[in-house]
């Protein structure tokens, strides 16, 4: 018997099957041969929320959740955050290798060329209510780009794909800045192509009437680090959405909008906004023990804590904590930090959190640093979506070029009734399950 196999005995039929094990997985389709008779559909796996299912092969992002390791294309996140710019990291995610000096110059030049938005985008943006949530505006505007670039649907043409990838990476900060200025009622600012990716974003956010915006280098560097940390994160909820929607061969603008919609949820990228509301609700360090007690009694969750994959300290949270100290030297210390540190201290000593391996995740500290930079909590998830676009697109491209991938279409376990007798409307009783 070959060693890398699994032998299964079906106790219903007493039959034995042997299936190969590859990369620590068995193929779910290999189970289909396990049947009780010719009419049986065959065995399936039941895995709500994909707790133990690999949906793809990938060589983009590696996570070891038990040991708190995160690598992009083999490079530890700590090394990339220390030595690279986000533009280099976006290139790495998309093309598999770090760029040479020449490649980086060309890449940055090409991205810079695409930062402008079609003028109609401005009119579209003006249609939103003054208090529209920035994530709603971002998702809708990214989807609307599909109407401006109809050729984007040619997803099997590599050159066309690359053009849309460059457009999306370039235009995301421009759209994000528009959502911010819309909320404030300020006029939109055009991109400045002399500036780096984070500096140009800051220019579009914060330029007033000065002829040339000059970004604070500490803030620009911190923003770039935050972009690197958020670049990709394996098969998370929004990336899975990107792959799933993209598998229908939808164009990349609509697909990215769908991924961004998933990111908006409070259990995913929306958590950083929730962390700030939670810290506001706690109010002061002294109230932390009572708040933790409430959580342990089942009243809500500690936002910014816990992760499906990390069962150890999220390596990104460590780097953000470090970057926060640099930012506070410029902006002054955010008082929320003391509450967060106390919350972390108490939670990490508490048996409830220790037993469940609940550690701070990337969202626990990112909101505090964003707030110190001057962002309202509603903008936090938008700031997450900008760099994650590079990761989504890398994953989308990997999915499209993987010959094993098809339209994503899970199966279900049917729990409804067998075929029912139809009753005409006039003969149905006054009370039904729906009106009861
Ligand atoms: N606070 C308190 N208890 C928690 C928390 C939390 N933040 N997270 C998980 N738990 C508890 C659960 O209640 C459960 O307890 P039980 O075993 O007694 O029922 C146990 O820990 C396991 O949790 P699950 O919900 O099964 O873990 P899952 O992997 O499904 O969820 C998730 C992961 C969604 C991130 C969860 O930890 C959570 O809701 N955290 C708060 C929201 C958050 O910070 N999200 C950001 C994630 S990072 C990102 O998306 C960028």
């Amino acid at each position: 018997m070959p060693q890398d196999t699994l032998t299964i005995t079906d106790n219903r039929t007493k039959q034995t099957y042997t299936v190969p094990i590859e990369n620590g997985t068995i193929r779910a389709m290999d189970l289909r041969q396990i049947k009780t008779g010719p009419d049986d559909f065959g065995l399936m796996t039941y895995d709500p929320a994909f707790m133990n299912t690999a949906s793809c092969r990938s060589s983009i992002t590696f996570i070891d959740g038990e040991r708190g390791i995160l690598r992009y294309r083999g490079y530890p996140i700590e090394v990339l955050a220390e030595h690279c710019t986000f533009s280099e990291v976006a290139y790495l995610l998309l093309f598999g290798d770090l760029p040479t000096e020449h490649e980086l110059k060309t890449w940055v030049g090409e991205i810079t060329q695409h930062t402008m938005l079609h003028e109609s985008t401005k009119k579209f943006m003006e249609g939103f209510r003054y208090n529209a949530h920035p994530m709603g505006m971002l998702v809708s505007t990214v989807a609307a780009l599909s109407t401006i670039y109809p050729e984007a649907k040619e997803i099997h043409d590599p050159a066309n794909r690359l053009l849309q990838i460059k457009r999306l990476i370039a235009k995301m900060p421009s759209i994000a800045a528009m959502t911010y200025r819309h909320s404030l009622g300020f006029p939109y600012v055009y991109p400045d192509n002399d500036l780096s990716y984070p500096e140009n974003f800051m220019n579009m956010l914060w330029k007033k009437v000065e002829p040339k915006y000059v970004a604070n280098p500490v803030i620009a560097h911190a923003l770039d680090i935050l972009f690197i940390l958020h670049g990709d994160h394996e098969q998370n909820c929004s990336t899975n959405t990107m792959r799933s929607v993209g598998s229908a061969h939808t164009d990349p603008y609509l697909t990215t909008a769908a991924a961004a919609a998933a990111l908006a949820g409070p259990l995913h990228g929306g958590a950083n906004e929730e962390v700030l509301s939670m810290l506001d609700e706690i109010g002061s360090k002294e109230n932390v023990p009572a708040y933790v007690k409430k959580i342990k009694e089942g009243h809500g969750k500690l936002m910014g804590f816990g992760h499906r994959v990390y069962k150890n300290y999220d390596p990104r949270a460590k780097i953000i904590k470090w970057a926060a100290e640099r930012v506070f030297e410029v902006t002054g210390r955010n008082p929320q930090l003391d509450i967060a540190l106390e919350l972390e201290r108490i939670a990490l000593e508490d048996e409830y959190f220790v037993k469940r391996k609940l550690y701070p995740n990337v969202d626990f500290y990112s909101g505090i640093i964003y707030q110190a930079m001057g962002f309202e909590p509603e903008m936090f998830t938008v700031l997450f979506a900008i760099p994650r676009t590079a990761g989504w697109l890398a994953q989308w491209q990997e999915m499209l070029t993987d010959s094993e991938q098809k339209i994503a279409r899970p199966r279900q376990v049917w729990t409804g009734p067998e075929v029912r007798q139809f009753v005409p409307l006039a003969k149905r009783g006054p009370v039904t399950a729906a009106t009861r």
Side-chain angles (χ1 to χ4, degrees):
M1 183 75 67
Q3 213 194 347
D4 286 337
T5 56
L6 174 73
T7 301
I8 305 159
T9 304
D10 185 346
N11 291 321
R12 300 169 301 176
T13 59
K14 309 290 176 237
Q15 270 213 51
T16 295
Y17 305 81
T18 298
V19 297
I21 299 177
E22 206 186 331
N23 301 318
T25 64
I26 58 162
R27 283 186 180 257
M29 278 305 283
D30 282 344
L31 301 178
R32 194 68 79 71
Q33 60 181 310
I34 304 177
K35 296 180 179 200
T36 51
D39 294 339
D40 186 355
F41 181 75
L43 203 64
M44 292 194 297
T45 56
Y46 174 60
D47 189 12
F50 302 121
M51 295 292 287
N52 196 35
T53 294
S55 65
C56 61
R57 294 165 185 269
S58 184
S59 61
I60 302 172
T61 295
F62 172 81
I63 304 175
D64 181 335
E66 292 296 329
R67 293 193 289 155
I69 291 174
L70 168 62
R71 294 182 201 134
Y72 296 161
R73 303 282 192 185
Y75 294 101
I77 191 71
E78 295 82 358
V79 175
L80 295 173
E82 191 178 343
H83 299 288
C84 293
T85 60
F86 171 69
S87 298
E88 267 175 280
V89 171
Y91 185 100
L92 172 71
L93 288 169
L94 284 155
F95 302 106
D97 285 310
L98 283 167
T100 60
E101 253 185 294
H102 174 72
E103 284 166 338
L104 182 63
K105 201 164 169 246
T106 310
W107 171 245
V108 169
E110 285 171 342
I111 295 295
T112 308
Q113 260 179 41
H114 289 291
T115 48
M116 287 276 279
L117 290 162
H118 192 283
E119 273 304 280
S120 64
T121 319
K122 250 166 64 177
K123 295 202 189 101
F124 184 77
M125 187 68 67
E126 278 157 11
F128 288 110
R129 263 187 110 204
Y130 68 97
N131 61 351
H133 194 286
M135 265 316 265
M137 292 193 263
L138 179 101
V139 167
S140 321
T141 309
V142 173
L145 292 184
S146 159
T147 65
I148 294 172
Y149 305 110
E151 77 278 11
K153 63 178 182 298
E154 303 301 335
I155 53 145
H156 295 298
D157 170 4
N160 189 305
R161 261 198 326 256
L162 185 56
L163 174 62
Q164 314 313 327
I165 286 174
K166 287 175 194 162
R167 281 180 173 152
L168 267 160
I169 291 177
K171 292 181 200 307
M172 216 61 177
S174 312
I175 298 173
M178 266 184 161
T179 70
Y180 176 79
R181 297 195 59 114
H182 180 85
S183 310
L184 297 172
F186 289 172
Y188 308 127
V189 174
Y190 286 101
D192 179 341
N193 288 356
D194 287 343
L195 302 176
S196 70
Y197 194 82
E199 286 171 340
N200 177 42
F201 179 47
M202 290 165 71
N203 158 65
M204 292 186 288
L205 289 167
W206 292 316
K207 186 172 189 285
K208 295 257 169 63
V209 289
E210 65 273 37
K212 181 98 182 158
Y213 180 81
V214 182
N216 180 301
V218 176
I219 306 288
H221 185 220
L223 205 52
D224 213 36
I225 291 178
L226 286 159
F227 283 172
I228 292 172
L229 301 183
H230 288 90
D232 193 48
H233 211 234
E234 209 224 58
Q235 304 311 313
N236 55 81
C237 179
S238 56
T239 302
N240 182 55
T241 305
M242 187 83 190
R243 282 180 173 262
S244 191
V245 174
S247 78
H249 294 174
T250 306
D251 79 48
Y253 299 102
L254 295 174
T255 308
T256 302
L263 188 73
L267 294 189
H268 190 13
N272 50 17
E273 191 178 331
E274 301 290 324
V275 171
L276 263 284
S277 315
M278 177 183 78
L279 295 177
D280 277 347
E281 190 189 330
I282 296 173
S284 76
K285 264 169 76 171
E286 294 65 48
N287 299 337
V288 169
Y291 192 83
V292 170
K293 184 166 174 279
K294 207 175 81 178
I295 298 285
K296 283 163 46 181
E297 286 166 358
H299 304 293
K301 281 188 170 169
L302 206 54
M303 297 315 283
F305 257 73
H307 199 275
R308 172 62 59 80
V309 180
Y310 290 121
K311 302 301 167 198
N312 201 323
Y313 212 101
D314 183 333
R316 302 168 298 173
K318 270 189 205 151
I319 304 170
I320 294 187
K321 234 169 130 178
W322 175 88
E325 294 299 345
R326 311 282 90 72
V327 168
F328 295 156
E329 283 166 18
V330 176
T331 61
R333 197 175 165 86
N334 185 340
Q336 305 280 40
L337 182 68
D338 294 324
I339 305 174
L341 287 170
E342 181 68 355
L343 198 53
E344 179 187 322
R345 190 186 67 75
I346 291 185
L348 292 184
E349 284 172 359
D350 193 295
E351 206 218 319
Y352 175 96
F353 295 91
V354 173
K355 205 174 96 198
R356 291 170 177 78
K357 297 188 178 172
L358 300 170
Y359 290 87
N361 59 48
V362 68
D363 287 326
F364 192 65
Y365 287 107
S366 65
I368 297 172
I369 193 167
Y370 289 143
Q371 195 178 51
M373 286 174 175
F375 292 105
E376 291 299 320
E378 291 73 31
M379 273 302 286
F380 296 172
T381 316
V382 170
L383 296 167
F384 191 155
I386 295 171
R388 183 53 61 87
T389 300
W392 288 331
L393 291 166
Q395 300 268 354
W396 171 72
Q397 174 129 280
E398 189 178 65
M399 180 271 303
L400 285 176
T401 51
D402 179 347
S403 59
E404 277 201 298
Q405 291 292 339
K406 289 168 173 242
I407 186 164
R409 204 309 187 178
R411 295 278 176 173
Q412 65 173 14
V413 175
W414 170 247
T415 59
E418 290 299 319
V419 65
R420 296 166 86 182
Q421 194 67 43
F422 177 77
V423 181
L425 185 58
K427 294 201 174 158
R428 288 175 219 157
V431 178
T432 66
T435 54
R436 196 174 291 134

Coordinates of all heavy atoms in Angstrom, one line a residue, residues 176-220:
A176 N -10.9 56.4 -2.7 CA -10.9 56.5 -1.2 C -10.9 57.9 -0.7 O -11.6 58.3 0.1 CB -9.7 55.7 -0.6
A177 N -10.0 58.7 -1.3 CA -9.8 60.1 -0.9 C -11.1 60.9 -1.3 O -11.5 61.8 -0.5 CB -8.6 60.8 -1.6
M178 N -11.7 60.6 -2.4 CA -13.0 61.2 -2.8 C -14.1 61.0 -1.7 O -14.9 61.9 -1.4 CB -13.5 60.7 -4.1 CG -13.1 61.5 -5.3 SD -13.9 60.8 -6.7 CE -13.8 62.1 -7.8
T179 N -14.2 59.7 -1.3 CA -15.2 59.4 -0.3 C -15.0 60.2 1.0 O -15.9 60.7 1.6 CB -15.2 57.9 0.1 OG1 -14.1 57.5 0.9 CG2 -15.3 57.0 -1.1
Y180 N -13.7 60.4 1.4 CA -13.3 61.1 2.6 C -13.8 62.6 2.4 O -14.4 63.2 3.3 CB -11.8 61.0 2.8 CG -11.3 61.8 3.9 CD1 -11.4 61.3 5.2 CD2 -10.6 63.0 3.7 CE1 -10.9 62.0 6.3 CE2 -10.1 63.7 4.8 CZ -10.2 63.2 6.0 OH -9.7 63.9 7.1
R181 N -13.4 63.2 1.3 CA -13.7 64.6 1.1 C -15.2 64.9 0.9 O -15.7 65.9 1.3 CB -12.8 65.2 -0.1 CG -11.4 65.1 0.3 CD -10.4 65.8 -0.6 NE -10.6 67.3 -0.6 CZ -9.7 68.2 -0.1 NH1 -8.6 67.8 0.5 NH2 -9.9 69.5 -0.3
H182 N -15.9 63.9 0.3 CA -17.3 64.0 0.2 C -18.0 64.1 1.6 O -18.8 64.9 1.8 CB -17.9 62.8 -0.6 CG -19.4 62.8 -0.7 ND1 -20.0 63.5 -1.8 CD2 -20.4 62.3 0.0 CE1 -21.3 63.3 -1.7 NE2 -21.5 62.7 -0.6
S183 N -17.5 63.3 2.5 CA -18.0 63.3 3.9 C -17.8 64.6 4.5 O -18.6 65.1 5.3 CB -17.4 62.2 4.7 OG -17.3 61.0 4.1
L184 N -16.7 65.3 4.2 CA -16.4 66.6 4.8 C -17.0 67.8 4.0 O -17.0 68.9 4.5 CB -14.9 66.8 4.9 CG -14.2 65.8 5.8 CD1 -12.7 65.9 5.6 CD2 -14.6 65.9 7.2
G185 N -17.5 67.5 2.8 CA -18.0 68.6 2.0 C -16.9 69.4 1.3 O -17.1 70.5 0.9
F186 N -15.7 68.8 1.2 CA -14.6 69.5 0.6 C -14.5 69.2 -0.9 O -14.9 68.1 -1.3 CB -13.3 69.1 1.2 CG -13.0 69.6 2.6 CD1 -11.9 69.1 3.4 CD2 -13.9 70.5 3.2 CE1 -11.7 69.6 4.7 CE2 -13.7 71.0 4.5 CZ -12.6 70.5 5.2
P187 N -14.0 70.1 -1.7 CA -13.8 69.8 -3.1 C -12.8 68.6 -3.3 O -11.8 68.5 -2.5 CB -13.3 71.1 -3.8 CG -12.7 71.8 -2.6 CD -13.4 71.4 -1.4
Y188 N -12.9 67.8 -4.3 CA -12.0 66.7 -4.6 C -10.7 67.3 -5.1 O -10.6 68.3 -5.8 CB -12.6 65.8 -5.6 CG -14.0 65.3 -5.3 CD1 -15.1 65.4 -6.2 CD2 -14.3 64.8 -4.0 CE1 -16.3 65.0 -5.8 CE2 -15.6 64.4 -3.7 CZ -16.6 64.5 -4.6 OH -17.9 64.1 -4.2
V189 N -9.6 66.6 -4.8 CA -8.3 67.0 -5.2 C -7.7 66.0 -6.2 O -7.9 64.8 -6.0 CB -7.3 67.0 -3.9 CG1 -5.9 67.3 -4.3 CG2 -7.8 68.0 -2.9
Y190 N -7.2 66.6 -7.3 CA -6.6 65.7 -8.3 C -5.3 65.1 -7.8 O -4.6 65.7 -7.0 CB -6.4 66.5 -9.6 CG -7.7 66.8 -10.3 CD1 -8.3 68.0 -10.2 CD2 -8.3 65.8 -11.1 CE1 -9.5 68.3 -10.8 CE2 -9.5 66.0 -11.7 CZ -10.1 67.3 -11.6 OH -11.3 67.5 -12.2
P191 N -4.9 63.9 -8.4 CA -3.6 63.3 -8.0 C -2.4 64.2 -8.4 O -2.5 65.0 -9.3 CB -3.6 62.0 -8.7 CG -4.8 62.0 -9.6 CD -5.7 63.1 -9.3
D192 N -1.4 64.1 -7.6 CA -0.1 64.8 -7.9 C 0.9 63.7 -8.2 O 1.4 63.0 -7.4 CB 0.3 65.6 -6.7 CG 1.6 66.3 -7.0 OD1 2.4 65.9 -7.9 OD2 1.9 67.3 -6.3
N193 N 1.3 63.6 -9.5 CA 2.1 62.5 -10.0 C 3.6 62.6 -9.6 O 4.4 61.7 -9.8 CB 2.0 62.3 -11.5 CG 0.6 61.7 -11.8 OD1 -0.1 61.3 -10.9 ND2 0.4 61.5 -13.1
D194 N 4.0 63.7 -8.9 CA 5.3 63.8 -8.4 C 5.5 63.1 -7.1 O 6.6 62.8 -6.7 CB 5.7 65.3 -8.0 CG 5.8 66.2 -9.2 OD1 6.0 65.6 -10.3 OD2 5.8 67.4 -9.1
L195 N 4.4 62.7 -6.5 CA 4.4 62.2 -5.1 C 4.4 60.6 -5.1 O 3.9 60.0 -6.1 CB 3.3 62.7 -4.3 CG 3.2 64.2 -4.2 CD1 1.9 64.6 -3.4 CD2 4.4 64.8 -3.5
S196 N 4.9 60.1 -4.0 CA 4.9 58.6 -3.9 C 3.4 58.2 -3.7 O 2.6 59.0 -3.4 CB 5.8 58.2 -2.7 OG 5.1 58.6 -1.5
Y197 N 3.2 56.8 -3.7 CA 1.8 56.3 -3.5 C 1.2 56.8 -2.2 O 0.1 57.4 -2.3 CB 1.9 54.8 -3.6 CG 0.6 54.0 -3.8 CD1 0.1 53.9 -5.0 CD2 0.0 53.5 -2.7 CE1 -1.1 53.2 -5.2 CE2 -1.2 52.8 -2.9 CZ -1.7 52.6 -4.1 OH -2.9 51.9 -4.3
P198 N 1.8 56.7 -1.1 CA 1.1 57.1 0.2 C 1.1 58.7 0.2 O 0.1 59.2 0.7 CB 2.0 56.6 1.3 CG 3.3 56.3 0.7 CD 3.1 55.9 -0.7
E199 N 2.1 59.3 -0.3 CA 2.1 60.8 -0.2 C 1.0 61.4 -1.1 O 0.3 62.3 -0.8 CB 3.5 61.4 -0.7 CG 4.6 61.2 0.3 CD 5.9 61.6 -0.4 OE1 6.0 61.6 -1.6 OE2 6.9 61.8 0.4
N200 N 0.8 60.8 -2.3 CA -0.2 61.2 -3.2 C -1.6 61.0 -2.6 O -2.5 61.9 -2.7 CB -0.1 60.5 -4.5 CG -1.2 60.9 -5.5 OD1 -1.5 62.1 -5.6 ND2 -1.8 60.0 -6.1
F201 N -1.7 59.9 -1.9 CA -3.0 59.7 -1.2 C -3.3 60.8 -0.1 O -4.3 61.3 -0.1 CB -3.0 58.3 -0.6 CG -4.2 57.9 0.2 CD1 -5.5 58.1 -0.3 CD2 -4.1 57.3 1.5 CE1 -6.6 57.8 0.4 CE2 -5.3 57.0 2.2 CZ -6.5 57.2 1.6
M202 N -2.2 61.1 0.6 CA -2.3 62.1 1.6 C -2.7 63.5 1.0 O -3.5 64.3 1.5 CB -1.0 62.2 2.5 CG -0.8 61.0 3.4 SD 0.9 60.9 4.0 CE 0.9 62.3 5.2
N203 N -2.1 63.7 -0.2 CA -2.3 65.0 -0.9 C -3.8 65.0 -1.3 O -4.5 66.1 -1.1 CB -1.5 65.0 -2.2 CG -2.0 65.8 -3.3 OD1 -2.0 67.1 -3.1 ND2 -2.4 65.2 -4.4
M204 N -4.4 63.9 -1.8 CA -5.8 63.9 -2.2 C -6.7 64.0 -1.0 O -7.9 64.4 -1.1 CB -6.1 62.7 -3.0 CG -5.4 62.7 -4.4 SD -5.8 61.4 -5.5 CE -5.1 60.0 -4.7
L205 N -6.2 63.6 0.2 CA -7.1 63.6 1.4 C -7.1 65.0 2.0 O -8.1 65.6 2.4 CB -6.5 62.7 2.5 CG -6.6 61.2 2.3 CD1 -5.7 60.5 3.3 CD2 -8.1 60.7 2.5
W206 N -5.8 65.6 2.1 CA -5.7 66.7 3.1 C -5.2 68.0 2.5 O -5.0 69.0 3.2 CB -4.7 66.3 4.2 CG -5.3 65.2 5.1 CD1 -6.5 65.2 5.6 CD2 -4.6 64.0 5.5 NE1 -6.7 64.1 6.4 CE2 -5.5 63.3 6.3 CE3 -3.3 63.5 5.4 CZ2 -5.2 62.1 7.0 CZ3 -3.0 62.3 6.0 CH2 -4.0 61.6 6.8
K207 N -5.0 68.1 1.1 CA -4.6 69.3 0.5 C -5.7 70.4 0.7 O -6.9 70.0 0.5 CB -4.3 69.1 -1.0 CG -3.7 70.3 -1.7 CD -3.3 69.9 -3.1 CE -2.5 71.0 -3.8 NZ -3.3 72.1 -4.2
K208 N -5.3 71.6 1.1 CA -6.3 72.6 1.1 C -6.1 73.6 0.0 O -6.3 73.3 -1.1 CB -6.2 73.3 2.5 CG -6.6 72.4 3.7 CD -8.0 72.7 4.2 CE -8.5 71.6 5.2 NZ -7.7 71.4 6.4
V209 N -5.5 74.8 0.3 CA -5.3 75.8 -0.8 C -3.8 76.0 -1.1 O -3.5 76.8 -2.0 CB -5.9 77.1 -0.5 CG1 -7.5 77.0 -0.5 CG2 -5.5 77.6 0.9
E210 N -2.9 75.3 -0.4 CA -1.5 75.4 -0.7 C -1.2 74.9 -2.1 O -1.8 74.0 -2.6 CB -0.7 74.6 0.4 CG -0.8 73.1 0.3 CD -1.9 72.6 1.2 OE1 -3.0 73.2 1.2 OE2 -1.7 71.5 1.8
P211 N -0.2 75.6 -2.8 CA 0.0 75.2 -4.2 C 0.6 73.8 -4.3 O 0.2 73.1 -5.3 CB 1.1 76.2 -4.6 CG 1.4 77.1 -3.5 CD 0.5 76.8 -2.3
K212 N 1.4 73.4 -3.3 CA 1.9 72.0 -3.4 C 1.8 71.3 -2.0 O 2.2 71.9 -1.0 CB 3.4 72.1 -3.8 CG 4.1 70.8 -4.0 CD 4.1 70.4 -5.4 CE 4.8 69.0 -5.6 NZ 4.4 68.4 -6.9
Y213 N 1.2 70.2 -2.0 CA 1.1 69.5 -0.7 C 2.4 68.8 -0.3 O 3.0 68.1 -1.1 CB 0.0 68.4 -0.8 CG -0.2 67.7 0.5 CD1 -1.0 68.2 1.6 CD2 0.4 66.4 0.7 CE1 -1.1 67.6 2.8 CE2 0.2 65.8 1.9 CZ -0.5 66.3 3.0 OH -0.7 65.7 4.1
V214 N 2.8 69.0 0.9 CA 4.0 68.4 1.4 C 3.6 67.4 2.6 O 3.1 67.9 3.6 CB 5.1 69.4 1.9 CG1 6.3 68.7 2.4 CG2 5.4 70.4 0.8
A215 N 3.8 66.1 2.3 CA 3.4 65.1 3.3 C 4.4 65.0 4.4 O 5.6 65.1 4.2 CB 3.3 63.8 2.6
N216 N 3.9 64.8 5.7 CA 4.8 64.6 6.8 C 5.5 63.2 6.5 O 4.7 62.2 6.4 CB 4.0 64.5 8.1 CG 4.9 64.3 9.3 OD1 5.6 63.2 9.3 ND2 5.0 65.2 10.2
P217 N 6.8 63.1 6.5 CA 7.4 61.8 6.1 C 7.2 60.7 7.1 O 7.1 59.5 6.7 CB 8.9 62.2 6.1 CG 9.1 63.5 6.8 CD 7.8 64.2 6.7
V218 N 7.0 61.0 8.4 CA 6.7 60.0 9.4 C 5.4 59.4 9.1 O 5.2 58.1 9.1 CB 6.8 60.5 10.8 CG1 6.5 59.5 11.8 CG2 8.2 61.1 11.1
I219 N 4.4 60.2 8.9 CA 3.0 59.7 8.6 C 3.0 59.0 7.3 O 2.3 57.9 7.2 CB 2.0 60.9 8.6 CG1 2.1 61.8 9.9 CG2 0.6 60.4 8.4 CD1 1.6 61.2 11.1
A220 N 3.6 59.5 6.3 CA 3.6 58.8 5.0 C 4.3 57.4 5.1 O 3.8 56.5 4.5 CB 4.4 59.7 4.0

